[in-house]
Amino acid sequence: MTTVPTPRVTIKDVAARAGVSKGAVSLAFNRKPGLSDATRDRIFAAARELGWAPNLTARSLSSQRVDVVGLAICRPAKQLGLEPFYMEFISGVEGVLTERSCSLLLRLVRNLEEEVGLQEAWWKGKQISGSILVDFRADDPRVAAVERLGMPAVAVGHPSLTGSLTSVWTDDATAVAEAVRYLAALGHRRIARVGGAAPLGHTTIRTAAFDEAARTLGLAGSWQVATDFSGDAGARATRSLLSAAPPDRPTAIVYDNDIMAVAGLSVASEMGLSVPGDVSLLAWDDSQLCRLTHPTLSAMSHDVHGFGADVARTLFGVITGEEPASHPVPTPVLTPRGSTAPPGGGSRM
Amino acid sequence: MTTVPTPRVTIKDVAARAGVSKGAVSLAFNRKPGLSDATRDRIFAAARELGWAPNLTARSLSSQRVDVVGLAICRPAKQLGLEPFYMEFISGVEGVLTERSCSLLLRLVRNLEEEVGLQEAWWKGKQISGSILVDFRADDPRVAAVERLGMPAVAVGHPSLTGSLTSVWTDDATAVAEAVRYLAALGHRRIARVGGAAPLGHTTIRTAAFDEAARTLGLAGSWQVATDFSGDAGARATRSLLSAAPPDRPTAIVYDNDIMAVAGLSVASEMGLSVPGDVSLLAWDDSQLCRLTHPTLSAMSHDVHGFGADVARTLFGVITGEEPASHPVPTPVLTPRGSTAPPGGGSRM
DNA sequence: AATAGTGACTTTACCGGTTTAGCGGCGGCT
DNA sequence: AGCCGCCGCTAAACCGGTAAAGTCACTATT
């Protein structure tokens, strides 16, 4: 294929064709007052005939705004592929961006330092008008960096992690408590949790909430393991938890995402334990995956798409200077399915 | 948080501080010859002190190039979330883009018309320097549109679908044939396939290849179902295939992605059929998911990350005018695991 | 000694829009 | 009639860079 030496039609050509100045074309395309309807129509007709669309690069240079927001995700590719959360989140964000003809600049980064550098480059390079920050950690360096830059941003994470940034979060502590309370109500006394990546702030929050709930309910202890969110890690953790002799073996396990719960289910079956007879399993996030297993997985479910949309809307608020309030999205709710039941129902599968 | 009225440091400030002209600063930052080391150092020092980074918008306006490539994905959000393919593909693309400090503009679109409009807007708006096109269909309107625009692009799909566009593809026909041959070699005579979305070109190709292979091997027929790639659809299809009475029931099923295979596995178990005893299952793509089930899923596996990287590299070739050749990536290879075995081993689980 | 060549910069003309100041003409008001 | 104010539009400055042409001092060549 030979690349045609593109004709490069610019605003000047359109202006010439419509018999007006380029200022007039600009006014027409930005729906600003000051033009008669007749002229406006002539301009649009000319533009259509020439197949012209404004050069957004030039536009943002002179108008000092860009219709692009950034999203950098800092997790190993290996985990990302399977984590249904992100794609759904992104699709929620997209939905809102699209309505405002805004685009998403996506980048996967290897660590937070890289992300800080990237956000700075994006912002100083005037490539984005704001950014969505995810996966906060304790003392996250992005908080200070973003403040210093004065860049509009929305932090996805609990306010205790996101400093002065506008944030949107899920109330993980409450959700964890509900999960534990539910299992306890079923009669479980030995409940374990297979958590996510330890450095992540929300993991810490869930861990603390789990401990707290276990204590409050007077449970037999509080087994928790940190993983990297991968299925393999979830399988390993489950294997280790379930290989304890029955009196010490947990009768219920809560997972921090779907993948690990699926992996856990498979480990239980591989070890000859029935679910939920010998052990109850509770997943988190509740993607489609939870309904594809046998038994189906009970889960703490969550409107991830809506979460993304909310975050995007909030970001627009920040960008336009409305100073929207930080707020939580609806707390995940328990969706009981086939993987949870009172303990000791024990029939082999 | 009060947004600081950003100081707006420009190339002029840096030039002034370093005591040179802005042309010199430009030369320094673009690593072009014509400056003494001493001056270069002074410039960098000045830039560092002022915290300056070039305005990429201005740069691309005058240099006529942008370091951004586009990717529009046209699938319902619901499917995307779970489809491990895309995130892995994207991460492969990203890896290559990052080395060249290039960014990815991502957009989810609802239909091809929208995508055509988007690509045109992106290109005419000089927002991207090229695009990656995925999920081709027969008579795909994007082929003509992209040619008309003269936009550099790489099509992910078989050349029979992508017209004159440079393309990178997986040899699905060969892979399907291998899958069928393998199952036939195990002794299966009644093999079914749960395919992906019918309008997609690669689905058509696989369907034809499956028919062909079934005929060549003299199999008992060729059951194929089209779905939408979702787990639910995979489950429904499997349920329908397996509910035939034993002489007509397939003894092996090939799936077009992992999710559907996982769903199929669960349906088999729900119907009291053992895998691989009563029915063998073969997945496609081979994400982590295949190793998390019980039994583990045999799959046609595929270096999706590498695929993405290859596509990105090829796109750079097209952009720089090297006219790279269209080429296939390595054909998926069979990875036998626990879900495939000779038919009739039939012990209940 | 005159000429050519080179290295190190500077000057200046864009890139393709947006934006603001300005301007001619026309209707309304006094 | 004269002045004002507004409408509809144009001209020109500007956004922050890049790139090509120009300048100038200094060395090498003949």
Side-chain angles (χ1 to χ4, degrees):
Chain A
M1 173 188 150
T2 52
T3 314
V4 187
T6 321
R8 298 214 157 287
V9 20
T10 77
I11 198 173
K12 209 185 298 182
D13 305 315
V14 177
R17 171 142 200 156
V20 296
S21 70
K22 46 184 204 146
V25 178
S26 176
L27 290 181
F29 267 77
N30 292 295
R31 334 200 151 285
K32 296 202 176 166
L35 291 181
S36 68
D37 288 351
T39 310
R40 208 175 284 274
D41 291 347
R42 275 214 326 288
I43 292 174
F44 282 126
R48 195 165 344 100
E49 286 157 24
L50 295 173
W52 178 76
N55 180 328
L56 299 194
T57 295
R59 168 178 293 183
S60 44
L61 176 57
S62 64
S63 67
Q64 306 287 0
R65 44 176 276 266
V66 277
D67 289 323
V68 178
V69 307
L71 172 61
I73 298 180
C74 176
R75 290 211 193 168
K78 178 193 149 208
Q79 292 169 24
L80 268 178
L82 252 176
E83 186 69 80
F85 180 89
Y86 280 106
M87 265 294 182
E88 260 193 81
F89 182 81
I90 289 174
S91 94
V93 168
E94 279 283 352
V96 173
L97 295 192
T98 303
E99 315 176 329
R100 328 216 176 179
S101 42
C102 194
S103 299
L104 183 72
L105 205 52
L106 178 73
R107 187 99 143 224
L108 310 183
V109 293
R110 277 180 301 279
N111 53 59
L112 284 188
E113 291 65 53
E114 192 179 330
E115 180 174 345
V116 166
L118 178 64
Q119 300 282 3
E120 179 167 346
W122 273 350
W123 176 246
K124 290 192 172 172
K126 298 282 177 291
Q127 292 211 93
I128 59 174
S129 54
S131 212
I132 294 173
L133 308 171
V134 298
D135 281 344
F136 273 79
R137 321 191 167 200
D139 297 315
D140 200 292
R142 290 172 294 178
V143 176
V146 168
E147 278 172 11
R148 181 169 44 76
L149 293 172
M151 171 174 85
V154 168
V156 175
H158 192 271
S160 63
L161 302 163
T162 61
S164 62
L165 300 179
T166 302
S167 61
V168 178
W169 74 93
T170 46
D171 185 354
D172 284 317
T174 302
V176 164
E178 177 175 349
V180 176
R181 227 178 303 117
Y182 161 69
L183 292 169
L186 286 179
H188 293 277
R189 311 289 303 158
R190 294 189 308 280
I191 306 178
R193 171 171 164 270
V194 174
L200 260 40
H202 74 260
T203 299
T204 315
I205 289 173
R206 293 186 194 176
T207 302
F210 188 88
D211 274 340
E212 167 72 17
R215 203 175 46 249
T216 306
L217 294 165
L219 298 185
S222 170
W223 295 265
Q224 300 194 63
V225 200
T227 66
D228 62 2
F229 282 115
S230 72
D232 286 341
R236 266 196 307 279
T238 307
R239 208 169 282 125
S240 134
L241 286 168
L242 294 184
S243 55
D248 287 332
R249 189 212 289 158
T251 60
I253 308 181
V254 181
Y255 293 85
D256 256 22
N257 70 0
D258 290 348
I259 307 301
M260 296 196 294
V262 171
L265 185 59
S266 139
V267 166
S269 132
E270 151 206 320
M271 294 176 76
L273 296 174
S274 97
V275 175
D278 295 313
V279 57
S280 286
L281 264 34
L282 184 58
W284 204 281
D285 282 350
D286 196 20
S287 71
Q288 214 187 119
L289 213 49
C290 293
R291 270 160 291 138
L292 298 183
T293 55
H294 190 78
T296 52
L297 285 166
S298 300
M300 294 304 294
S301 57
H302 205 181
D303 176 11
V304 177
H305 185 94
F307 189 10
D310 190 337
V311 168
R313 268 189 294 269
T314 307
L315 179 57
F316 277 116
V318 176
I319 291 173
T320 56
E322 291 162 26
E323 314 208 354
S326 293
H327 61 276
V329 293
T331 303
V333 298
L334 183 76
T335 303
R337 294 204 186 84
S339 66
T340 46
S347 70
R348 292 289 144 115
M349 275 169 78
Chain B
M1 176 187 147
T2 52
T3 315
V4 187
T6 321
R8 296 215 156 287
V9 21
T10 77
I11 198 173
K12 208 185 297 182
D13 304 315
V14 177
R17 171 143 200 157
V20 297
S21 69
K22 46 182 205 151
V25 177
S26 176
L27 290 180
F29 267 77
N30 293 295
R31 338 203 147 283
K32 297 202 176 165
L35 292 181
S36 68
D37 288 351
T39 309
R40 207 175 283 276
D41 290 348
R42 270 208 338 281
I43 292 174
F44 282 127
R48 196 165 344 99
E49 286 158 22
L50 294 173
W52 178 77
N55 180 329
L56 299 195
T57 296
R59 169 180 292 181
S60 43
L61 177 58
S62 69
S63 67
Q64 307 286 3
R65 43 177 274 267
V66 277
D67 289 323
V68 177
V69 309
L71 172 62
I73 299 180
C74 175
R75 291 211 194 168
K78 179 193 146 207
Q79 290 169 28
L80 268 178
L82 252 174
E83 187 69 80
F85 180 89
Y86 280 106
M87 264 294 183
E88 259 193 79
F89 181 81
I90 290 174
S91 96
V93 169
E94 279 282 353
V96 173
L97 295 192
T98 303
E99 314 177 331
R100 327 215 176 179
S101 42
C102 194
S103 299
L104 183 71
L105 205 53
L106 178 72
R107 187 100 143 223
L108 310 183
V109 293
R110 276 180 302 279
N111 54 58
L112 284 188
E113 291 64 53
E114 192 179 330
E115 180 174 346
V116 166
L118 177 65
Q119 300 282 4
E120 179 168 346
W122 273 351
W123 176 245
K124 289 192 171 171
K126 297 284 176 292
Q127 291 213 93
I128 58 173
S129 53
S131 212
I132 295 173
L133 308 171
V134 298
D135 281 343
F136 273 79
R137 319 188 169 204
D139 297 316
D140 200 293
R142 290 172 295 177
V143 176
V146 168
E147 278 172 8
R148 181 168 45 76
L149 292 172
M151 172 175 84
V154 168
V156 175
H158 192 270
S160 64
L161 302 163
T162 61
S164 63
L165 300 178
T166 302
S167 61
V168 179
W169 74 93
T170 46
D171 185 353
D172 283 318
T174 303
V176 164
E178 177 175 350
V180 176
R181 227 178 301 117
Y182 161 70
L183 292 169
L186 287 179
H188 293 276
R189 311 291 302 159
R190 294 189 308 280
I191 305 178
R193 171 171 165 270
V194 174
L200 259 40
H202 74 260
T203 299
T204 316
I205 290 174
R206 291 185 196 177
T207 302
F210 188 88
D211 274 339
E212 167 73 16
R215 203 175 46 252
T216 307
L217 294 165
L219 298 186
S222 170
W223 294 265
Q224 299 194 66
V225 200
T227 67
D228 63 1
F229 281 116
S230 72
D232 285 341
R236 267 196 306 280
T238 307
R239 207 169 283 124
S240 135
L241 286 168
L242 294 184
S243 55
D248 288 332
R249 187 212 290 157
T251 61
I253 308 181
V254 181
Y255 293 85
D256 256 22
N257 71 0
D258 289 348
I259 307 299
M260 296 196 294
V262 171
L265 185 59
S266 139
V267 166
S269 132
E270 151 205 321
M271 295 177 74
L273 297 174
S274 97
V275 175
D278 296 312
V279 57
S280 286
L281 263 34
L282 185 59
W284 204 280
D285 283 349
D286 195 19
S287 71
Q288 216 189 115
L289 214 48
C290 293
R291 271 160 290 138
L292 298 183
T293 55
H294 189 78
T296 52
L297 285 166
S298 300
M300 295 302 294
S301 57
H302 204 182
D303 177 10
V304 177
H305 185 93
F307 189 10
D310 190 337
V311 168
R313 268 189 294 269
T314 307
L315 179 57
F316 277 116
V318 176
I319 292 173
T320 56
E322 291 161 25
E323 314 208 355
S326 293
H327 60 277
V329 292
T331 303
V333 298
L334 183 78
T335 304
R337 295 205 185 84
S339 66
T340 46
S347 70
R348 292 289 143 115
M349 272 169 80

